[in-house]
């Protein structure tokens, strides 16, 4: 008997390109959102994007409420929820880098309101996914959140974001390779639910990005175009899977553990990139394709060593030997690496000296 079913939640409109920030009002109209928006933004994105968007809404006779958040915390989520209620907002627009969008996404989930994503940095695939992540004490929670009804990504703004945010976005996509390897392994060994469509899309996204690595250069608007489309595509893969599996394997566990052990040492994408070099080695050994991952990261200026992440050897090894414990997700790390093995993979791949 056939009894499978799936419910795929995707953004209805994805608008990417030069100058599209002018089209937020039209996008809102197209998804039939009515009433007053609450803009969730942070200081710099407010100037470069939220203020001009607010002017467009005012010209259309709509007066948006605005809340500025500085850090991604549960307090900030609470504050956004409070503001939305006090200002009688009927939907949220997250305008900013990862933080503002994560917060808007989680608040809208709680409020049961529609949400639009207007990223100002192409730094990770959270700009389209339905998971939000906030640090809480010494842990980092990935929680259910609302997927955006629409994404408006202006490449002119994205190209102006600090370069390391773009290279972090690229590295997050390159790590799809190892995420998919882990997912396939988990299917073979643990019979975890798997979608070949999602896996293939996620891998192809990484491949297209690596093939275009030459075009990824600071200040080039085309770079922002390539990276943003790849982040969208990764997000779609996660939506199809109904899980972050296609874009998150052991390299993500490693990064989440680094977030606990060395908070704010490096960007999410950069951490998963380095993690991906090591987990690719574990999948393929000395002759495996970990070298390809490392050269792809090098070619886009992303870190490939602990030192470049600003993390000492001891912390790196601790993260690698303990990260399998943080969630029940089967990966190449299995039930954990011992320190000797961890030191060997980190040394052989040049991540530590
Ligand atoms: Zn990621």
């Amino acid at each position: 008997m056939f009894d499978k079913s799936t419910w795929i939640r995707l953004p209805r409109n994805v608008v990417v390109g030069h100058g599209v920030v002018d089209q937020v009002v039209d996008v809102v109209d197209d998804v039939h959102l009515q009433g007053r928006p609450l803009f969730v933004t942070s200081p710099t994105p407010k100037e470069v994007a939220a203020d001009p968007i607010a002017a467009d809404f005012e010209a259309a006779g709509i007066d948006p409420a605005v809340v500025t958040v500085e850090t991604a915390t549960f307090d900030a989520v609470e504050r956004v929820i409070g503001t939305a209620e006090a200002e009688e907002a009927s939907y949220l627009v997250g305008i900013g880098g990862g933080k503002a969008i994560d917060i808007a996404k989680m608040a809208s989930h709680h409020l049961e309101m529609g949400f639009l994503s207007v990223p100002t940095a192409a730094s990770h695939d959270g700009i389209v996914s339905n998971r939000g992540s906030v640090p809480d004490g010494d842990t980092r929670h990935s929680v259910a959140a609302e997927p955006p009804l629409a994404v408006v990504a202006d490449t002119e703004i994205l190209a102006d974001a600090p370069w390391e945010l773009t290279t972090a976005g690229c590295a997050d996509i390159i790590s799809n390779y190892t995420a998919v390897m882990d997912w396939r392994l988990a299917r073979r060994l643990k019979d975890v639910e798997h979608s070949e469509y999602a896996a293939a899309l996620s891998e192809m996204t990484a491949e297209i990005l690596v093939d275009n690595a030459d075009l990824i250069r600071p200040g080039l608007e085309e770079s922002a175009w390539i990276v943003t489309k790849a982040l969208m595509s990764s997000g779609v893969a996660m939506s199809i899977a109904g899980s972050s599996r296609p874009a998150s394997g052991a390299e993500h566990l490693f990064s989440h553990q680094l977030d606990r052990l060395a908070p704010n040492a490096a960007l999410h994408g950069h951490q998963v990139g380095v993690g991906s070099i090591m987990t690719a080695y574990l999948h393929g050994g000395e002759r495996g394709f970990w070298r390809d991952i490392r050269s792809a990261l090098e070619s886009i200026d992303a870190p490939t060593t602990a030192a470049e992440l600003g993390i000492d050897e001891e912390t790196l090894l601790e993260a690698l030997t303990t990260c399998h414990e943080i969630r029940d997700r089967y990966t190449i790390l299995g039930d954990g690496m011992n320190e000797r093995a961890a030191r060997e993979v980190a040394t052989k791949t040049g991540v530590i000296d």
Side-chain angles (χ1 to χ4, degrees):
M1 198 189 99
F2 184 84
D3 61 356
K4 276 185 170 178
S5 69
T6 183
W7 185 333
I8 300 172
R9 303 180 81 198
L10 294 162
R12 175 161 149 188
N13 287 332
V14 175
V15 185
V16 187
H18 180 82
V20 298
V21 73
D22 294 350
Q23 294 170 33
V24 177
V25 175
D26 297 336
V27 169
V28 163
D29 203 42
D30 193 74
V31 292
H32 307 303
L33 284 171
Q34 276 155 3
R36 189 178 194 203
L38 171 63
F39 291 4
V40 181
T41 188
S42 17
T44 310
K46 181 172 185 298
E47 253 171 70
V48 299
D51 288 346
I53 298 171
D56 292 342
F57 274 82
E58 279 153 21
I62 303 160
D63 168 34
V66 181
V67 60
T68 309
V69 292
E70 308 237 5
T71 46
T73 57
F74 282 112
D75 282 351
V77 177
E78 289 299 324
R79 198 153 57 82
V80 169
I81 292 169
T83 311
E85 285 163 352
E87 301 286 340
E88 296 179 356
S90 45
Y91 61 96
L92 305 189
V93 186
I95 304 168
K99 269 175 283 180
I101 290 175
D102 266 358
I103 292 170
K105 190 194 294 185
M106 284 184 270
S108 64
H109 181 71
H110 178 89
L111 292 158
E112 299 182 344
M113 280 181 186
F115 153 66
L116 262 65
S117 172
V118 184
T120 57
S123 58
H124 61 74
D125 50 29
I127 57 178
V128 277
S129 78
N130 63 345
R131 305 293 298 175
S133 146
V134 281
D136 181 26
D138 66 344
T139 69
R140 196 171 186 90
H141 283 284
S142 172
V143 294
E146 201 63 24
L149 288 168
V151 183
V152 180
D154 190 314
T155 47
E156 199 178 358
I157 293 173
L158 296 165
D160 253 0
W163 175 235
E164 68 268 19
L165 296 177
T166 308
T167 66
C170 290
D172 203 9
I173 294 154
I174 291 169
S175 80
N176 287 7
Y177 280 123
T178 48
V180 170
M181 289 169 125
D182 280 332
W183 196 16
R184 292 203 168 114
L185 179 76
R187 182 196 48 173
R188 291 195 296 268
L189 293 181
K190 302 286 171 186
D191 192 34
V192 307
E193 216 176 310
H194 179 263
S195 155
E196 197 47 41
Y197 286 106
L201 177 59
S202 173
E203 268 180 339
M204 187 188 70
T205 303
E207 212 167 294
I208 292 174
L209 186 96
V210 169
D211 288 347
N212 286 289
D214 289 351
L215 297 171
I216 297 166
R217 293 290 168 262
L220 262 192
E221 199 170 333
E222 191 172 4
S223 307
W225 168 258
I226 293 167
V227 180
T228 307
K229 293 223 307 182
L231 293 170
M232 302 293 166
S233 176
S234 252
V236 170
M238 289 190 269
S239 294
I240 292 174
S243 128
S244 60
R245 269 284 191 183
S248 169
E251 74 297 321
H252 271 71
L253 296 178
F254 166 74
S255 170
H256 297 325
Q257 194 67 319
L258 280 182
D259 288 338
R260 293 179 179 182
L261 299 170
N264 304 317
L267 294 167
H268 166 80
H270 291 163
Q271 294 179 169
V272 302
V274 171
S276 195
I277 298 173
M278 296 186 288
T279 62
Y281 181 94
L282 293 174
H283 274 284
E286 183 60 37
R287 291 187 306 166
F289 92 129
W290 65 273
R291 289 174 205 277
D292 298 340
I293 292 198
R294 189 178 64 180
S295 11
L297 292 170
E298 269 166 1
S299 78
I300 52 145
D301 293 343
T304 57
T305 65
E308 284 168 3
L309 288 177
I311 284 163
D312 59 51
E313 192 176 307
E314 201 177 309
T315 309
L316 181 118
L317 293 176
E318 189 181 343
L320 198 54
T321 50
T322 58
C323 66
H324 64 284
E325 292 163 2
I326 60 181
R327 73 179 283 191
D328 179 26
R329 169 159 288 189
Y330 193 81
T331 69
I332 191 69
L333 297 173
D335 62 358
M337 295 185 80
N338 67 27
E339 204 196 309
R340 250 180 95 133
R343 187 178 294 278
E344 182 174 322
V345 58
T347 313
K348 285 256 168 82
T349 52
V351 168
I352 61 174
D353 294 329

